[in-house]
Amino acid sequence: MSAVEAAAGLQQFLVLRYHELKRRLVQRLGSDEVASDALQETWLRLSTRRVADTVSDPWHYVFRMAVNASIDLHRSANRQLSAREVDELLELADPAPGPADAAASQAELEALVRVMREIPERRRNILLAVRVQQLTQPEVARRMGISLRLVELELQKAQAHCAARLGR
């Protein structure tokens, strides 16, 4: 018998003896709900684990597995976060910018608009097409009816001007 067949056989045993197993688990664990959860977890574990080809006593094997599952479920339910985990949760960044961030972003945007107005119109249009509209340089050249080399030069000049005036 293969390990898969053995696990399937134990699952079948669990189904056939479910009520008896549950009654004994309730006596042992003191809770109908905990016993049910433990048997469900045992079913799942049997479907995902390799089991020895032969189990000499399926009753004790499945029962012990259910008791162990209940212990694991209890531990995971009562697990407390460590101080480090609490700190990490508290440090999660708020996705919404605060008032200071919003004001700084607005000021940067206004400065960029002023600098962009200083650039000649064709150069500005090329910069906007590439950076804002995300067109490729060959697309910009075709649309504007100019050479690719001129697009490259104008883009370099526009970026250099913005970097120099914005201090970057």
Side-chain angles (χ1 to χ4, degrees), residues 12-154:
Q12 183 66 27
F13 176 84
L14 191 154
V15 169
L16 293 173
R17 307 290 293 269
Y18 180 85
H19 295 293
E20 189 179 350
L21 284 163
K22 184 175 177 184
R23 185 180 54 75
R24 288 283 314 275
L25 282 169
V26 169
Q27 289 173 344
R28 174 87 180 258
L29 303 173
S31 167
D32 187 68
E33 186 178 328
V34 172
S36 294
D37 290 346
L39 287 171
Q40 180 179 359
E41 182 65 22
T42 301
W43 170 267
L44 293 172
R45 289 180 181 188
L46 285 170
S47 69
T48 59
R49 289 196 178 150
R50 296 187 60 81
V51 178
D53 292 348
T54 57
V55 174
S56 61
D57 187 355
W59 170 266
H60 285 98
Y61 187 90
V62 172
F63 187 79
R64 183 77 235 158
M65 197 172 188
V67 170
N68 289 340
S70 73
I71 292 168
D72 292 344
L73 291 169
H74 178 75
R75 284 179 183 157
S76 66
N78 292 322
R79 182 180 173 275
Q80 293 184 359
L81 295 176
S82 68
R84 181 183 54 80
E85 291 170 322
V86 170
D87 288 343
E88 287 174 2
L89 286 173
L90 293 175
E91 288 179 13
L92 290 177
D94 183 3
D101 294 331
S105 294
Q106 182 65 32
E108 286 179 18
L109 181 60
E110 290 170 0
L112 179 60
V113 167
R114 281 192 303 276
V115 169
M116 293 284 292
R117 287 185 181 137
E118 299 170 355
I119 299 174
E121 184 178 359
R122 181 177 67 188
R123 192 172 294 164
R124 182 175 55 244
N125 290 340
I126 291 171
L127 178 63
L128 291 172
V130 172
R131 295 296 178 200
V132 176
Q133 297 173 356
Q134 297 183 342
L135 299 176
T136 64
Q137 292 178 17
E139 287 175 318
V140 173
R142 275 193 306 277
R143 286 185 179 190
M144 296 183 81
I146 56 177
S147 71
L148 177 59
R149 180 68 183 140
L150 184 57
V151 169
E152 292 169 352
L153 290 173
E154 292 285 26

Side-chain angles (χ1 to χ4, degrees), residues 3 10-11 102 161:
L10 289 171
Q11 282 180 310
H161 177 80

